[in-house]
Every structure is written in C-alpha cells, then in structure tokens.
Amino acid sequence: MSGNAKSSSIRDVAALVEAGLVSPAMMDPLRLVEARYDIAITPAFRDLIQSADDPIGRQVIPRVEELDQAAFQMADPIGDARHTPVKGVVHRYEDRALLTPLLICPIYCRFCFRRERVGAEGGLLTDAELEAALGWFRQHPDVREVILTGGDPLMLSPRRLGRIIAALSDMAHIDIIRIHSRVPVADPERLTPALLDALSTEKALWLVTHVNHAAELSEAASQALRHVQKRGIPMLSQSVLLRGVNDSVEVMEALLRRLVRLGVKPYYLHHLDPAPGTEHFRVPVERGLNILRGLRGRVTGLAWPTYVMDIAGGYGKVPLGPHYLEAGPTMMEGVTDPKGRHHKWPNSDF
Ligand code: SF4
C-alpha cells in the first residue's frame, strides 16, 4: 500500500521515495530492509522530518545498516520469551508484570528492542488470549503493578482498552497501572476524549510516553499531553540514548527541559538494547555517563532521568550512574561534585 504523506502513514519504501525522504537509487536495497522490519511514519512525525539523517528521520526511516547483524545482537535482547508464563504476559520482576495486548505501533522505531516482533501484522490477543492473560494477573496477588505495553496499547480501540482497564481495576491487589506509549508524540490526534475516557480508573494510572528529541514535542503533542493531564493522569517519559539523535549534552538538555516544562517527569534514559541491525545507533556507555555528568548541576533534579541498561538475556534493568562516591582500598573515601571536584568525606558514614 502506498502511503500519502499528508493524510495517512507512510508504510513502505515506495512511499518514502514518493515523499522525497529516500532517493530512488536506494529503493532496491531498502526493500530488503522492508521485507524484514515494518515501516510506519505518521503524518505528525513526517511533518517533523527535514531529511532522512536528521534526529527525527533517523528514528523512523529505514537504512541499509539494519541488515548488518553483529554477533552479540539478539532477536529478543531483554528475554521476553523466557519470562512469558502465558501469551501477552511478561513477568520479569516479583511485584510487576507486562501485559502486551497487541504488537502494533503508530511508528516503527528503527532501533526498537522488540523489532523482531512488532509490526502491522498485529499480535492482537484474541478475546480468549486476553482473558487468559487477565486471568494470570488475577491469580498472582504478588503482582502490584501492570505495565501495559506492546506494541503500543494506545493503538487499541477505546472499547478494548476500556475493557482491559476495567478488568485490572477490579483486581484488589493491583495498585498501579502503567501505560507505555509513543502515541502522544507520534500520533497526538489519536488521544481523543473517547480514548482518554477508556483510561478512567480509581487505581493510580501513569502514562509513560516514549520521546527522544525535543522536536517530537510539537504543538499538537504538547496539546495532547495537556489533555491527558487534565484527566488527572500523571505523566513520565522514557527515552533511548541514540547516536545522531540525542547523544550530546545540549540536545539532551533541550529534551529534558521541554519535558519538565510540559509537566512530564523524565523517568528512564535507556542504554540501547542489542537488537539486530541497530549498531549504527549505539552510544558507548562511557559517553552516556559523560552526558549525564554534563547535565548534573546544570538542570533541575526534576528533569534528571535514571540512565538504565537492560542486561541482555532478560536479567533485568540496572542503573548505570554516573557515580560520585569514590571507592578506596577498603571503603568509600570521598565524593566528586557535579563540576568534577573531589571532596573528602568522613569514613564513619560508610
Ligand atoms: S513504539 Fe516502542 S515498541 Fe513500537 S517500534 Fe517504537 S520502540 Fe518499538
């Protein structure tokens, strides 16, 4: 299906050429990428792209580098499959679990850690599968938090989403419902009153939007975030540290400042997962730490995300720092301030 850049999403290489986002000479090589990984660029995202190599274009326009596979890359880098007790549930940590009702997204990020699974084919749980997944939550009282993710749960119809929220709201042991979504920035018009009505619950419900660059927070996206906030839903953000997108102190600072100005608390900054064909996005950990060091003391603590790495293979998430305490031979001996100056610290504290 050929996409129309102004009225519907771009969904294939031919439409990318037609929109002037890739040269006709790249059509054949990129068709190999298209055969492997889905493409989707919403009109809202298309409007933000000046060139294929700008920070927005890089995130959604396919490149031939996606065909390169490094030895350490994995189809399922964070080990979803080995933590799936029933289709649509991922249970990695004791007190929380993921519910993935579908695998469709508004855009397909070229660095996605679930890129081998997400796509327009859907992965939509059938009614029976959804009931079985909800049944699993009912039978696990230790699970206090449900993270609705996918794919993108805000791609569900208001009716289906409302049904899921209502079922989770009826479970006494569930304290928190967390929704991970790219919709507020990728397709803000989708956040209709009907979809927001579907999020109505007595539980603590948090919306975590995935955004990697300040330019994604367009006027339409900002308006959508305000609509969410007017419903009393607190908002967090998560971002992925990506080469050529947000790998500098200045660009990261602009993103974090824009988020807090909009009342969105930056939550996670993810180190890139080793998914196939994503090496061109990789930023070394040391550079990530330096970016965070560069921000410390310069931006408000409210804007400070936790830089995290998911240990490949499904062993969980760990914070990466930067670290300020200085280890001596037997104990902590001092602390480094945000400007890199060293200070002694009384050892009795440790
Ligand atoms: S929206 Fe999330 S799940 Fe979907 S392609 Fe992007 S990173 Fe992957």
Side-chain angles (χ1 to χ4, degrees), residues 44 77 106 113 147 160 163 169 185 228 244 272 285 297 336 342-343:
F113 64 118
I147 297 136
R160 198 165 181 84
R163 197 178 129 202
S169 302
V185 292
V228 174
L272 186 74
V285 171
T336 306
H342 301 280
H343 305 270

Side-chain angles (χ1 to χ4, degrees), residues 105 107-109 112 118 151 182 210:
C105 301
I107 52 179
Y108 291 107
C109 310
C112 176
V118 295
R182 197 78 155 116
H210 170 177

